[in-house]
Amino acid sequence: MEATRKANDKLKTSRRLALAVVPFYMAALGFMAYAPQAKNEPPKVSVTDSTGGTYCGISTKQVKGNLVIAGEKGDVATVPLARVEKVSAVEKCSEGK
């Protein structure tokens, strides 16, 4: 009987704790509903190759061993994957790159 009573006490405690968490869960959902939304544009990336050249664009893809970067103004750069040293996400492409 002792084990049954102990199990029942633990069950009651777990129910109370579960109910105590509900307001925090609802607050988190409300906070996420009013959080800033992501932009609908593709991410910008900056690619540096082994020669020191830097390419920046709004989209990248891999075609036959080359990394293709489409620039914001419609220009396209192709860099062999073997020469790519660094790829990083950027907020904005700087002028002249």
Side-chain angles (χ1 to χ4, degrees), residues 36-91:
Q37 301 300 313
K39 297 177 183 176
N40 287 334
E41 60 188 42
K44 295 176 181 68
V45 293
S46 176
V47 177
T48 305
D49 66 9
S50 58
T51 64
T54 303
Y55 309 92
C56 190
I58 57 173
S59 64
T60 62
K61 60 183 175 179
Q62 179 183 346
V63 177
K64 297 182 182 178
N66 293 315
L67 189 62
V68 179
I69 301 119
E72 292 178 316
K73 298 177 184 172
D75 53 331
V76 176
T78 304
V79 183
L81 286 174
R83 287 191 3 213
V84 173
E85 287 191 353
K86 180 180 171 185
V87 178
S88 56
V90 293
E91 185 76 26

